[in-house]
Amino acid sequence: SASSKKEIDLQHNGGRTDTFFWRQGRKEVVLVVPLPAGTRAKEVVVEVAEKHLLLTCQGKTIIDSALAYQVHTDEFPDWEILDMPGAEDGSRCVSLVLPKVVNDGFVIWWKKVLEGDPEIDVTKIEGRNLAHQKLWQDAHEQFREMVKNKKPMEI
């Protein structure tokens, strides 16, 4: 159906919780948080700190939680109010972009967005560069061989 297709897009390389859908790419995580019909931007407050997210709508707290991973907070949070994809009742949503912190060019695939959220299996993400895993396995194997073949040293 059309709505389940939209849901898959909302969860690309991510998942869903009771409060929001999320998807991720190499450099960012996007949350889509359903809101009541008719919600306007001035009724929504979004505050993003390095490891914390606060989102309120019409004075009610929707998210107030520690982020599972660090995000860039150099600029103002990038968010907008949209019609909820696939909804026919006028429901709205806030779409929030969280820029990932990328260390030394290594992409971190998030297992979850908030502390306490269910984790996804990041090994199933398409297009992941798994070369480093092979290197690590090879190095581990060489180390085990060295240890196994080590001769006792007389002192």
Side-chain angles (χ1 to χ4, degrees):
S1 76
S3 66
S4 62
K5 172 75 178 113
K6 288 281 187 205
E7 226 166 76
I8 290 165
D9 293 343
L10 293 175
Q11 300 179 63
H12 183 71
N13 293 339
R16 73 180 291 178
T17 69
D18 294 340
T19 315
F20 59 87
F21 300 91
W22 67 282
R23 65 182 186 271
Q24 65 181 318
R26 294 181 164 296
K27 296 182 178 158
E28 63 190 25
V29 171
V30 179
L31 268 62
V32 175
V33 185
L35 301 173
T39 300
R40 299 162 62 124
K42 66 181 179 188
E43 299 173 301
V44 175
V45 175
V46 178
E47 292 176 14
V48 181
E50 216 170 75
K51 285 272 292 181
H52 194 267
L53 174 62
L54 173 70
L55 191 147
T56 65
C57 177
Q58 299 168 348
K60 293 188 203 85
T61 300
I62 296 174
I63 299 171
D64 184 1
S65 184
L67 290 162
Y69 299 86
Q70 194 175 338
V71 296
H72 276 298
T73 54
D74 303 345
E75 60 246 20
F76 292 105
D78 179 11
W79 62 275
E80 61 183 332
I81 303 292
L82 306 165
D83 290 328
M84 185 68 195
E88 290 163 22
D89 61 359
S91 294
R92 308 279 284 167
C93 66
V94 61
S95 175
L96 168 64
V97 178
L98 298 172
K100 292 179 176 182
V101 171
V102 180
N103 293 317
D104 301 323
F106 284 103
V107 173
I108 307 264
W109 292 103
W110 290 18
K111 294 180 180 180
K112 58 187 176 182
V113 177
L114 304 174
E115 293 295 349
D117 280 354
E119 293 189 356
I120 63 162
D121 182 356
V122 294
T123 62
K124 292 188 165 52
I125 292 176
E126 287 175 35
R128 285 181 68 216
N129 182 354
L130 300 175
H132 65 280
Q133 284 186 326
K134 175 88 175 96
L135 287 171
W136 176 252
Q137 287 169 339
D138 292 350
H140 222 73
E141 195 56 44
Q142 287 175 343
F143 178 76
R144 280 201 291 271
E145 282 299 310
M146 264 176 33
V147 169
K148 193 169 78 177
N149 298 329
K150 191 171 184 339
K151 306 275 185 269
M153 210 162 77
E154 287 187 26
I155 301 174

